Amino acid sequence: MPGHANTGIVRNSPECYLPNSIQATARLMTDRLTILGIESSCDDTAAAVLRREPDGDTQILSSVVVGQEALHRDFGGVVPEIAARAHAVKLDGCVVDALSEAGVSLSDIDAIAVTAGPGLIGGVLSGVMLAKGLSAGLGRPLIGVNHLAGHALTPRLTDGLPYPYLMLLASGGHCQFLIVRGPDSFSRLGGTIDDAPGEAFDKTARLLALPQPGGPAVEEAALSGNPERFALPRPLLDRPGCDMSFSGLKTALLRQRDQLVEAEGGLRQSDRADICASFQAAVCDVLTVKARRALKTYLNESPAEPAFAIAGGVSANQTIRASLKALCAEHDVRFTAPPLRLCTDNAAMIAYAGMEQFIAGHRDDMTLTARPRWPLDRSVAPLIGSGKKGAKA
Amino acid sequence: MSRRSKTLSCPDEQATGNIAEALGAGLRPGDTVLLEGGIGAGKTFFARHLIQSLLLVPEDVPSPTYTLVQVYDAAPGEIWHCDLYRLSDPSQCIELGLEDAFDTAICLVEWPDRLGSLAPVGALTITLAATGTEGARALELSWTDPKWETRLEGVAT
């Protein structure tokens, strides 16, 4: 594919491309592989053990995620583990639990895969430091994994999708369309220029005094609402391409709410339901229209077994899921959505992405560092978002 | 030091963006801008414009709501773009490294009430509010540190 020759993730050690390593790789394809994955780039601390049998069958032996119990409803969201210290305290226990649940010991581990970015630097660093220590102590290879690559490769772990497949990654912090070509090769077709849709759901819940996390709360309220009562904007639909914008939707919703409060002295339950339904319809429309365009670009490449996967917390929304599923059916494209526990942050996806990259011959050394920003596709221009105004630079 | 203030009214997004850029042009490491206002007031919009006008290499400026802090390399120095909404205690701001950043970087802070007494006394506070028509905003700038008199010379509607 012209123009995508240099989209691979830059590695720290060029040695991994040496011929003897390629021979080792060929041998690896026939070995049983046990990979430890470590993830600490966001709110949660996680460790997992993954095993690939010589016939290619891959199973998650364990996947431990710590941090979700810190859900703090009064405060309105997950209390973030901002400090490296907080992750570091949990990491050791996470790894011990993951090994014990998997019924393996450290000496059974063939390689250690760790999220090396993007994310909050303190958290990422504590994971990377632990992985380096384990790698050095055990004498086993180290693989730094892009957190987003973990999400993007999950449909291969869960559904065995063949490359290349189209992917919508939509969560609280991310929203992008990718063509996934290989463990290290991604083409971004477009993404949000401001807020991610998960964030828009959370903020809608905040604006309407609904509980957090906002995704399920807004979806539930929308069930009894009229999606056509309020004409909320569908930003960027008039612009070609797959870029999206959700920030203006939030502002429009705020104005609608204030008008209702002024006219009626407060929000009735039916108002809330109608706002939620109208908001959800707007997000769904934007994602579906842009997905249609992304699908067209992808299908132009004539993939042998066309498939579209959606991952990230937003994939749990049934309205959005049904709309994208219908779109795929219309184009005779296979549709998949990994189960939610593998769509939210976890270390099994990191172990899996690490495993694919390990088989492809990638290795990192002790110079591996935490990268707060790490785009999956380095060949495309950044989304220079500024609302309707577009590029400023 | 007495508190001084200035109110600017922006009829559309372009006008708000222009103010962000004009303010950005005068910022130096050690300057902190506290962005106040509710959801949808335009805090991130303002910060994004300001950051993008100063970036050495164009790049995405995503919302920091989930990541808490995004750090950028910009012409005058490092820029820290923070959204403290999800924090519950000023001690978490210390763990984020904000205290040091206030001295060494340009800091743009959304939901600065979470800082409590950690808020730098020399900061510029900008309160954004949506006004009558769509896209219109009122910006109230206030400060005590006299350095802002010169920093704000080029900032007007």
Side-chain angles (χ1 to χ4, degrees):
Chain A
M1 173 71 190
H4 293 291
N6 59 351
T7 58
I9 293 163
V10 176
R11 291 281 146 185
N12 287 319
S13 55
E15 296 85 351
C16 64
Y17 297 108
L18 292 177
N20 61 347
S21 162
I22 291 168
Q23 283 160 19
T25 298
R27 199 183 65 241
L28 278 169
M29 293 295 287
T30 60
D31 286 349
R32 181 196 230 198
L33 276 179
T34 309
I35 309 278
L36 173 68
I38 296 170
E39 153 68 39
S40 57
S41 66
C42 298
D43 292 345
D44 300 326
T45 314
V49 178
L50 192 86
R51 177 164 286 162
R52 182 186 188 277
E53 297 296 342
D55 65 1
D57 179 52
T58 304
Q59 297 294 333
I60 301 167
L61 299 187
S62 64
S63 180
V64 177
V65 181
V66 180
Q68 278 148 342
E69 74 270 24
L71 203 70
H72 196 306
R73 288 184 184 277
D74 300 338
F75 168 64
V78 174
V79 177
E81 288 299 2
I82 54 173
R85 181 175 49 76
H87 276 297
V89 165
K90 291 178 188 168
L91 270 166
D92 287 0
C94 259
V95 170
V96 169
D97 288 352
L99 291 169
S100 128
E101 247 179 65
V104 300
S105 66
L106 269 179
S107 58
D108 297 320
I109 299 296
D110 295 305
I112 295 124
V114 62
T115 303
L120 207 54
I121 192 84
V124 180
L125 255 181
S126 48
V128 167
M129 295 307 286
L130 172 65
K132 280 185 183 179
L134 286 170
S135 168
L138 295 168
R140 295 288 195 276
L142 174 71
I143 303 135
V145 172
N146 184 313
H147 176 84
L148 298 173
H151 282 300
L153 296 177
T154 299
R156 284 178 58 76
L157 168 65
T158 55
D159 298 88
L161 286 196
Y163 296 122
Y165 56 91
L166 180 66
M167 173 104 208
L168 169 60
L169 195 57
S171 65
H174 302 284
C175 186
Q176 50 188 327
F177 287 104
L178 296 164
I179 296 178
V180 184
R181 303 179 184 283
D184 246 4
S185 176
F186 308 90
S187 303
R188 184 170 74 173
L189 304 180
T192 179
I193 63 167
D194 41 53
D195 295 353
E199 174 172 1
F201 270 95
D202 279 348
K203 289 190 172 167
T204 295
R206 265 156 71 176
L207 287 170
L208 298 176
L210 293 168
Q212 296 284 332
V218 170
E219 185 175 8
E220 194 189 331
L223 280 176
S224 60
N226 172 8
E228 288 168 3
R229 177 166 166 205
F230 303 110
L232 295 172
R234 271 70 169 157
L236 298 193
L237 282 197
D238 53 337
R239 274 225 306 238
C242 299
D243 284 347
M244 293 161 278
S245 163
F246 295 101
S247 173
L249 197 49
K250 174 182 71 191
T251 314
L253 190 146
L254 180 66
R255 293 174 63 83
Q256 199 65 66
R257 181 200 70 177
D258 290 348
Q259 280 172 18
L260 283 170
V261 169
E262 201 173 322
E264 302 170 3
L267 280 187
R268 288 192 295 249
Q269 201 170 347
S270 62
D271 294 333
R272 251 193 208 96
D274 292 343
I275 292 179
C276 285
S278 302
F279 163 81
Q280 183 173 272
V283 173
C284 185
D285 277 359
V286 171
L287 289 174
T288 306
V289 169
K290 298 293 178 169
R292 184 181 291 278
R293 291 184 195 167
L295 206 52
K296 191 173 176 224
T297 305
Y298 165 68
L299 290 174
N300 273 344
E301 297 182 7
S302 306
E305 296 174 59
F308 177 70
I310 174 170
V314 176
S315 70
N317 183 287
Q318 293 302 322
T319 303
I320 292 171
R321 190 186 275 233
S323 176
L324 294 172
K325 198 173 176 179
L327 176 71
C328 286
E330 196 187 304
H331 289 83
D332 206 15
V333 167
R334 179 177 171 192
F335 174 84
T336 64
L340 197 60
R341 69 188 167 83
L342 291 173
C343 277
T344 49
D345 292 341
N346 67 86
M349 67 176 191
I350 300 304
Y352 181 79
M355 187 199 76
E356 281 219 26
Q357 292 171 10
F358 180 73
I359 290 171
H362 296 310
R363 306 288 182 273
D364 282 297
D365 58 21
M366 290 298 141
T367 62
L368 179 70
T369 52
R371 299 170 65 169
R373 284 161 294 155
W374 188 358
L376 273 180
D377 182 349
R378 305 178 140 259
S379 70
V380 292
L383 301 169
I384 310 172
S386 53
K388 296 173 205 152
K389 302 300 178 297
K392 290 291 292 179
Chain B
M1 285 186 290
S2 64
R3 182 156 279 271
R4 307 204 46 188
S5 71
K6 176 172 180 170
T7 302
L8 305 171
S9 98
C10 305
D12 53 29
E13 289 183 344
Q14 185 72 51
T16 309
N18 289 345
I19 288 176
E21 286 179 32
L23 172 66
L27 291 180
R28 303 282 173 272
D31 288 350
T32 295
V33 179
L34 308 177
L35 295 164
E36 295 187 337
I39 299 175
K43 302 180 294 297
T44 306
F45 177 89
F46 188 92
R48 180 176 289 128
H49 259 275
L50 195 160
I51 293 165
Q52 275 165 350
S53 69
L54 296 178
L55 283 179
L56 294 170
V57 179
E59 62 176 302
D60 292 351
V61 179
S63 162
T65 297
Y66 286 88
T67 54
L68 304 170
V69 177
Q70 303 276 147
V71 181
Y72 300 91
D73 293 320
E78 237 178 35
I79 302 178
W80 282 48
H81 181 199
C82 318
D83 181 338
L84 307 182
Y85 181 82
R86 301 200 300 141
L87 303 188
S88 51
D89 190 293
S91 69
Q92 294 178 310
C93 303
I94 298 176
E95 291 180 345
L96 271 182
L98 269 179
E99 266 192 322
D100 291 340
F102 286 145
D103 294 334
T104 60
I106 293 170
C107 293
L108 310 176
V109 184
E110 302 185 30
W111 299 98
D113 56 312
R114 309 294 198 263
L115 287 169
S117 61
L118 292 175
V121 287
L124 172 71
T125 299
I126 302 182
T127 307
L128 295 101
T131 52
T133 53
E134 193 184 336
R137 295 289 185 277
L139 274 59
E140 196 205 329
L141 286 61
S142 73
W143 65 92
T144 53
D145 191 321
K147 75 180 178 185
W148 292 107
E149 307 286 338
T150 46
R151 298 275 202 283
L152 293 171
E153 267 170 11
V155 180
T157 42

